[in-house]
């Protein structure tokens, strides 16, 4: 039994993801040459995306990690908790924030607001996936997403860093789980 058996449909193949990652990395490499940017991974979902991006950026840069937890339930909507903060002082630094997915937008909105208060020289936002909402006003986007990997339809996806109950992050592609997996 492999984790592939739990996937109903593949949204983005490994090749499609890798091609897009290379494009984004090439743009970032050009833009940040000579600036020693700090690339910030939003754990855990952004880990694969961030690692693949920096592997393709052949310039001096630094990396750091941040872990946040968002409570999108009705009672505590908009509340985001920092589980792990950065080790690096970002004041006067060029930062690149790498996140897995923009769903409600609550997490990134909070995070970007918080990081801006620390006076970085510039902020660049990369999101691998953006979920397309029927009503776009439900998605917080109070900032620019500079690099968007793919727009996907509004469904729960796993793979390439994204999890369901902490599993499936290690799939090299992005897909949708079979219904029976949720009933296990
Ligand atoms: P937000 O709703 O934009 O704040 O997203 C919160 C977090 O939920 C994201 O950073 C992801 O880690 C996670 N998330 C949102 N949608 C999905 C999904 O379809 N699959 C897996 N994780 C998701
Ligand atoms: Mg995330």
């Amino acid at each position: 039994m492999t984790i592939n058996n739990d996937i109903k449909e593949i949204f983005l193949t490994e090749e499609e993801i890798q091609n897009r990652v290379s494009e984004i990395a090439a743009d970032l490499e050009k833009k940040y040459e000579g600036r020693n940017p700090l690339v910030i991974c939003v754990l855990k979902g952004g880990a694969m995306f961030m690692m693949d991006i920096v592997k393709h950026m052949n310039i001096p840069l630094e990396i750091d990690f941040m872990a946040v937890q968002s409570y999108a339930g009705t009672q505590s909507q908009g509340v985001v908790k920092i589980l792990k903060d950065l080790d690096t002082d970002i004041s006067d630094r060029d930062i690149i924030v790498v996140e897995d997915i923009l769903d409600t937008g609550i997490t990134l909105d909070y995070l970007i607001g918080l990081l801006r208060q620390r006076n970085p020289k510039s902020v660049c936002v990369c999101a691998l996936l953006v979920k397309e909402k029927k009503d776009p006003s439900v998605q917080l986007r109070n900032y620019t997403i500079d690099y968007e990997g793919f727009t996907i339809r509004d469904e729960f996806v796993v793979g390439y860093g994204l999890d369901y109950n902490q599993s499936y992050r290690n799939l090299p592609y992005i897909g949708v789980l079979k219904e029976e997996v949720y009933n296990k």
Side-chain angles (χ1 to χ4, degrees), residues 100-138:
D100 52 0
I101 189 166
L102 189 79
D103 184 13
T104 63
I106 290 170
T107 309
L108 258 184
D109 189 66
Y110 170 83
L111 205 61
I112 301 302
L114 179 90
L115 294 174
R116 279 196 198 287
Q117 286 171 19
R118 301 179 184 178
N119 301 311
K121 188 189 282 174
S122 69
V123 179
C124 171
V125 182
C126 301
L128 176 68
L129 305 173
V130 174
K131 280 193 191 174
E132 203 160 33
K133 300 288 179 183
K134 278 200 197 85
D135 174 7
S137 71
V138 301

Side-chain angles (χ1 to χ4, degrees), residues 3 5 7 27 35 37 44 49-50 60 64 75 95 108 115-116 121 125 135 155 168-169 174 179 184:
I3 50 174
N5 295 332
I7 301 296
D27 283 356
R35 293 165 67 180
K44 298 171 187 170
F49 183 36
M50 189 261 228
D64 204 345
Q75 285 199 312
I95 64 170
L108 258 184
L115 294 174
R116 279 196 198 287
K121 188 189 282 174
V125 182
D135 174 7
E155 268 189 68
Y168 306 101
R169 294 189 196 276
I174 289 170
E179 279 81 16
K184 268 182 196 166

Side-chain angles (χ1 to χ4, degrees), residues 107-184:
T107 309
L108 258 184
D109 189 66
Y110 170 83
L111 205 61
I112 301 302
L114 179 90
L115 294 174
R116 279 196 198 287
Q117 286 171 19
R118 301 179 184 178
N119 301 311
K121 188 189 282 174
S122 69
V123 179
C124 171
V125 182
C126 301
L128 176 68
L129 305 173
V130 174
K131 280 193 191 174
E132 203 160 33
K133 300 288 179 183
K134 278 200 197 85
D135 174 7
S137 71
V138 301
Q139 200 170 49
L140 278 176
R141 293 179 80 151
N142 296 330
Y143 45 82
T144 313
I145 298 178
D146 304 271
Y147 296 93
E148 195 175 299
F150 303 91
T151 305
I152 58 163
R153 61 176 197 259
D154 193 5
E155 268 189 68
F156 193 83
V157 290
V158 295
Y160 196 67
L162 292 130
D163 72 305
Y164 169 62
N165 280 348
Q166 297 304 325
S167 291
Y168 306 101
R169 294 189 196 276
N170 52 326
L171 288 169
Y173 55 83
I174 289 170
V176 180
L177 289 168
K178 291 175 182 166
E179 279 81 16
E180 64 240 43
V181 176
Y182 298 108
N183 303 324
K184 268 182 196 166

